[in-house]
Amino acid sequence: MKFIDLFAGLGGFHTGFSNSGFECVFACEIDSDLRALYKSNYGIEPYGDVTKIAAKDIPNHDVLCAGFPCQPFSLAGKKKGADCPSSGMLIDDIVRIAAHHKPKFVVMENVPNILTIANGTFWEYIVSSFESIGYVIEHKVISPVEIGIPQNRKRIFVVASRNSVVKTQSYWPTTIQDSEVANLRDFLDSTLEHKPLEHKKKILLAVWQNLLDNCTLPLKGAFSIVAPEFGANYPLEFGSLTLEQMKQYRGAYGESLAACTSWTDVLKKMPSYAQKNKKVSDWIISSVQQSREIYSSNKDYLDMWIGQLEKNYNSWQILEWRGKLGEYNIYSHLIQFRASGIRVLKPEIAPSLIAMTPTQIPVIPSENRYMSKAEAAKLQFLHTLPNIPDNTPRAFKALGNAVNAKIVELIANNLRHSLATYQAANAT
Ligand SMILES: C[S@@+](CC[C@H](N)C(=O)[O-])C[C@H]1O[C@@H](n2cnc3c(N)ncnc32)[C@H](O)[C@@H]1O
């Protein structure tokens, strides 16, 4: 049973389908570094841009795999999706190749919001395009945690099956109980090559831990502490106030605004998220209120603590607690240094590895280090690859772009069953 791997990337589809016993007969990938890597890992030289490949030049296959990019989207310029503003309908190339080769299955993966972008018109377009060439579409949102791998990563899996194929069983993997999910701890291996946490960030975490150890905190699973609110009392919506009225308040870290002679002076003493005439989000409003409450019940300690905190980076002044309820120990959690703040996450399950921002590589604070490439590869079930990019940001980008190979393997196993039945029926 043969498959092709369009938009091949690191080869999550390749690994999954090969593990299930399929043979890859063609791949394409536009990025030349990824092409070279694919060749070194799988012994197949991928072609380049899919839009330039004539369908007749692709060998016959039973399954067409396509992890197409969350792409720019436009329906001939008519119904432009707000999220995907420009050209490049790569889905059309998948349909073009499927129409020519008529594989029994087309398997695709993407982010779940392809169901809703452009008010659902993109998804309707995908479904109707495949129906028009003789396929039935099924989809399911699946995350690796549902099959036992400790990574939260919801992705939509789409199986288009030819009308002539008789479905012998569900195409989707059997999901498991929460208790059967492996603990991230079992996936971590500090002996593998990894990047240590920078000294400044170690100090920063220790300072935040001091706060957690010494303050009365809300008993909630999720809250954010916004340090600039300690001592502040300015109204969040201050756009309609006069300068004289504003001068009665205190800005970030309780700095008095009394001596300000202009709004420019005032804004210099305000937290970055509080700007004149800017609508503040509900999230900021509730975090600000909570932070002011924390300050008023721990004032003496926090007046001393403020001096310890590094103020050069806005995001270091916000702690986003998404960890365990009431167990306020950073070192028994996972951390991400996000643009919005320092996010503390439950330690058992890794957050989604994402391609766009290698800065969000999870940190294991108890070991003063970042997650390694090898550990991330394991979370994508791509740890058997002989080669991943040497460069850490590139490796995390490619791993974050990849499809989870174990989910693919389980789907491939189910398709294989239907394919075998189809082939047996057509042989007689
Ligand atoms: C979401 S990633 C898919 C990753 C892949 N499924 C994996 O497991 O690694 C999309 C890939 O499509 C590639 N790509 C984008 N435009 C392309 C095109 N026109 N032709 C071929 N590949 C393309 C990107 O370089 C990227 O590696």
Side-chain angles (χ1 to χ4, degrees):
M1 293 178 194
K2 299 186 165 71
F3 72 99
I4 64 168
D5 192 6
L6 307 182
F7 314 99
L10 266 189
F13 276 110
H14 191 126
T15 296
F17 270 84
S18 301
N19 288 353
S20 179
F22 286 77
E23 181 198 353
C24 184
V25 291
F26 179 89
C28 76
E29 166 55 56
I30 205 163
D31 180 306
S32 57
D33 290 345
L34 288 176
R35 282 206 297 275
L37 201 66
Y38 198 94
K39 170 104 197 285
S40 73
N41 280 326
Y42 302 110
I44 290 181
E45 174 111 46
Y47 286 72
D49 186 349
V50 73
T51 64
K52 308 275 183 332
I53 299 168
K56 66 176 173 40
D57 295 338
I58 298 176
N60 282 335
H61 48 275
D62 302 291
V63 183
L64 183 164
C65 299
F68 62 104
C70 177
Q71 62 184 113
F73 166 57
S74 101
L75 280 177
K78 283 186 202 127
K79 302 176 195 159
K80 275 193 179 171
D83 301 358
C84 295
S86 60
S87 63
M89 289 290 286
L90 294 172
I91 193 78
D92 288 346
D93 289 282
I94 304 172
V95 174
R96 169 175 68 83
I97 294 165
H100 180 94
H101 282 282
K102 302 182 172 45
K104 279 68 159 195
F105 293 108
V106 177
V107 184
M108 295 173 279
E109 182 246 15
N110 216 296
V111 289
N113 79 350
I114 63 158
L115 291 173
T116 51
I117 53 170
N119 294 325
T121 50
F122 184 41
W123 178 247
E124 279 166 27
Y125 181 78
I126 295 177
V127 173
S128 60
S129 301
F130 277 97
E131 282 176 356
S132 72
I133 59 164
Y135 286 82
V136 181
I137 288 242
E138 286 187 46
H139 72 277
K140 186 165 188 195
V141 174
I142 310 174
S143 172
V145 278
E146 295 169 47
I147 58 153
I149 297 178
Q151 185 194 174
N152 281 316
R153 179 187 183 80
K154 284 191 176 161
R155 291 293 182 272
I156 184 168
F157 289 83
V158 181
V159 172
S161 48
R162 274 197 78 70
N163 288 334
S164 53
V165 175
V166 178
K167 184 172 169 182
T168 57
Q169 63 187 78
S170 164
Y171 300 141
W172 310 123
T174 315
T175 52
I176 58 154
Q177 302 292 316
D178 284 356
S179 57
E180 294 170 73
V181 177
N183 192 310
L184 180 62
R185 215 176 314 125
D186 304 328
F187 272 59
L188 298 179
D189 181 352
S190 59
T191 62
L192 300 170
E193 188 202 333
H194 59 255
K195 183 177 165 204
L197 189 62
E198 298 84 343
H199 181 67
K200 272 186 152 190
K201 288 185 179 166
K202 275 196 247 175
I203 306 268
L204 178 72
L205 294 184
V207 168
W208 275 105
Q209 187 58 48
N210 285 343
L211 180 151
L212 296 171
D213 289 342
N214 289 287
C215 292
T216 319
L217 296 165
L219 260 188
K220 284 188 177 174
F223 60 90
S224 294
I225 307 180
V226 187
E229 293 305 319
F230 295 163
N233 69 353
Y234 65 90
L236 262 176
E237 309 277 352
F238 57 86
S240 60
L241 298 191
T242 63
L243 183 60
E244 282 314 304
Q245 287 170 321
M246 192 66 181
K247 281 161 75 167
Q248 297 162 24
Y249 293 103
R250 291 189 306 276
Y253 295 107
E255 261 212 77
S256 168
L257 303 177
C260 293
T261 54
S262 68
W263 276 104
T264 313
D265 278 357
V266 168
L267 292 178
K268 276 188 203 148
K269 294 182 193 291
M270 298 295 283
S272 57
Y273 45 81
Q275 298 294 327
K276 195 168 160 57
N277 298 329
K278 192 171 132 191
K279 176 106 189 78
V280 265
S281 67
D282 290 347
W283 174 85
I284 291 276
I285 294 172
S286 73
S287 304
V288 162
Q289 276 162 356
Q290 230 156 38
S291 305
R292 290 183 185 183
E293 278 161 28
I294 292 172
Y295 179 73
S296 66
S297 33
N298 302 276
K299 185 173 178 315
D300 290 345
Y301 177 77
L302 288 174
D303 282 341
M304 182 273 296
W305 179 86
I306 286 169
Q308 299 175 9
L309 185 67
E310 156 84 66
K311 312 266 182 348
N312 284 334
Y313 308 101
N314 291 332
S315 63
W316 289 16
Q317 298 171 55
I318 299 178
L319 188 79
E320 302 174 343
W321 189 269
R322 304 286 181 274
K324 295 187 210 167
L325 178 72
E327 193 190 314
Y328 298 130
N329 183 354
I330 286 177
Y331 299 96
S332 60
H333 285 78
L334 276 185
I335 300 287
Q336 274 180 311
F337 287 92
R338 300 169 72 103
S340 57
I342 306 162
R343 185 166 292 184
V344 186
L345 297 157
K346 291 187 181 140
E348 299 86 6
I349 299 175
S352 181
L353 300 173
I354 57 166
M356 309 311 282
T357 52
T359 51
Q360 288 182 22
I361 296 171
V363 167
I364 299 119
S366 57
E367 298 178 5
N368 282 318
R369 69 176 181 93
Y370 289 86
M371 180 180 279
S372 65
K373 291 182 283 185
E375 289 163 336
K378 232 168 150 185
L379 290 171
Q380 289 291 60
F381 215 71
L382 288 170
H383 53 288
T384 50
L385 289 185
N387 304 302
I388 47 177
D390 278 342
N391 170 291
T392 299
R394 273 197 69 80
F396 271 87
K397 181 168 183 234
L399 286 164
N401 252 331
V403 59
N404 185 284
K406 189 65 187 177
I407 296 179
V408 171
E409 181 183 326
L410 296 175
I411 294 174
N413 289 344
N414 294 338
L415 298 185
R416 191 157 44 79
H417 198 266
S418 288
L419 268 175
T421 311
Y422 177 91
Q423 289 180 344
N426 284 284
T428 51

